[in-house]
Each structure stands twice: as structure tokens, then as C-alpha cells.
Amino acid sequence: WGKISEKQLNDALARQARSGKRLGEILMGTNACTEEDISRALALQFDMEFVDLDISAIKPDVMEMMPEAMMKEYQIVPLEYKDGRLKVAITDPLDLESVDAMRFRLNMDVDCVLAAREKVQEIIKSYTEHAESETVDTMLQEFTSTDVDFVDRGEKGASMNAESAPIIRLVQ
């Protein structure tokens, strides 16, 4: 690939042996590689497709197939639904437990592609913020479109005493 030199690789491998961290984390920590570089290399290593995520290319009805909490928990973005299979972007090709749990919870076949973690997090954040604002907008629209009749009680309302108030009568 040519992104790092042999010396950078050997230094990173030595650090990995001392720290126990993943090689990709070490290479990103030394600014030898970007997160996208690491994701592309992992996709190549695990014979997976790599995708450069773009929220405008994801259909909202596909995003709605997966609960927001699941997207956040597993760091997964649904991309496409075709022929009964859901194509999802994941960030860690070694996290098979999350993929299996997702398959079980959704009760459907899932095909995985790899994407950079920061892009997946961006998409999830953007989608959840958009969904939350739509929910608030819908609630406000429903509230403001509801007809509420206000009645002016005039003198009668002003002369109401504490014993005749509905809440107090209910308690007595």
C-alpha cells in the first residue's frame, strides 16, 4: 500500500507488543495513518468491501429499519435493503458478536461492509439529530393545529373560592 515505511511498521509493532493496543490505533496515534487508511487496510485484509459513507446516499426508509439505540450500541449504519438482506456498514471486522446480535434482533440476513468509525459516528449523529428534530416539529405542529377553546368566566371565575375548586372537591 505504501502508506507507511518498514521502519514505521516495525516501531508500531514494537509499541504494540509493549502496550497490547491494536496496530491501527498505534499507527493513527503516531499520525502515520488516518482512520480511513486503517479501515481500508482492514477491509483488504478481511476480504470485505470498504465504503466511504455519505448520508445523502442512504435512504431514510432503510435507516428506519434499525432502531437508533442499536445503531449507537453496535456502531452500525444500515445502507441498503434488497432481496430480504440488509447491507450494513460496520467499523470492526472482528466484532462478530455484535453482528450476530444484530442479526438475531432484526431477524434478517445481514451483509457487512467496512467503514471508518468516525464516518459511522457522523452518520448516526446526523440521523438521530434529524429524527429528533422531526419528532419535535411533528409534536409542535400537532399541538398548534389542535383547536383549544378558551372560556372567559368573567365575574363567576373571579368569585370562585378554594372549596369550589375542582381539585379540592375531589380530595374532600
Side-chain angles (χ1 to χ4, degrees):
W1 247 38
K3 289 285 181 181
I4 59 171
S5 68
E6 192 172 328
K7 181 183 180 338
Q8 287 174 310
L9 176 61
N10 290 332
D11 289 347
L13 287 169
R15 284 185 187 185
Q16 181 187 32
R18 288 190 305 269
S19 69
K21 289 184 178 179
R22 290 185 174 186
L23 185 60
E25 290 177 44
I26 293 167
L27 289 170
M28 287 187 301
T30 61
N31 293 324
C33 292
T34 64
E35 188 174 21
E36 185 174 325
D37 294 334
I38 299 300
S39 296
R40 285 181 185 276
L42 285 170
L44 188 63
Q45 180 182 355
F46 287 94
D47 195 28
M48 294 178 74
E49 178 186 347
F50 174 82
V51 291
D52 188 13
L53 293 177
D54 177 16
I55 194 160
S56 64
I58 303 171
K59 295 177 183 169
D61 59 324
V62 174
M63 289 292 284
E64 291 169 4
M65 293 181 79
M66 184 177 292
E68 291 174 28
M70 191 183 296
M71 284 187 241
K72 290 178 182 178
E73 179 181 353
Y74 299 130
Q75 292 297 292
I76 292 174
V77 174
L79 301 174
E80 179 181 80
Y81 183 74
K82 188 175 179 182
D83 300 327
R85 301 182 71 85
L86 184 64
K87 182 178 182 179
V88 297
I90 62 173
T91 60
D92 184 356
L94 297 174
D95 188 8
L96 300 177
E97 189 176 314
S98 292
V99 174
D100 286 342
M102 179 188 50
R103 281 184 178 122
F104 178 76
R105 288 174 63 183
L106 293 174
N107 192 27
M108 68 176 69
D109 290 327
V110 176
D111 297 320
C112 297
V113 297
L114 205 57
R117 181 177 308 276
E118 63 188 24
K119 289 276 190 152
V120 167
Q121 290 171 342
E122 237 175 69
I123 298 281
I124 292 170
K125 183 179 179 195
S126 175
Y127 174 73
T128 55
E129 286 175 355
H130 178 72
E132 286 171 6
S133 72
E134 274 189 354
T135 302
V136 170
D137 289 346
T138 302
M139 287 172 41
L140 283 173
Q141 189 176 24
E142 287 174 4
F143 179 73
T144 56
S145 67
T146 304
D147 290 332
V148 178
D149 294 329
F150 293 97
V151 178
D152 183 16
R153 294 184 174 212
E155 292 294 319
K156 183 180 176 188
S159 65
M160 220 183 225
N161 61 22
E163 281 108 33
S164 67
I167 194 76
I168 292 176
R169 277 189 277 142
L170 186 72
V171 173
Q172 290 176 353

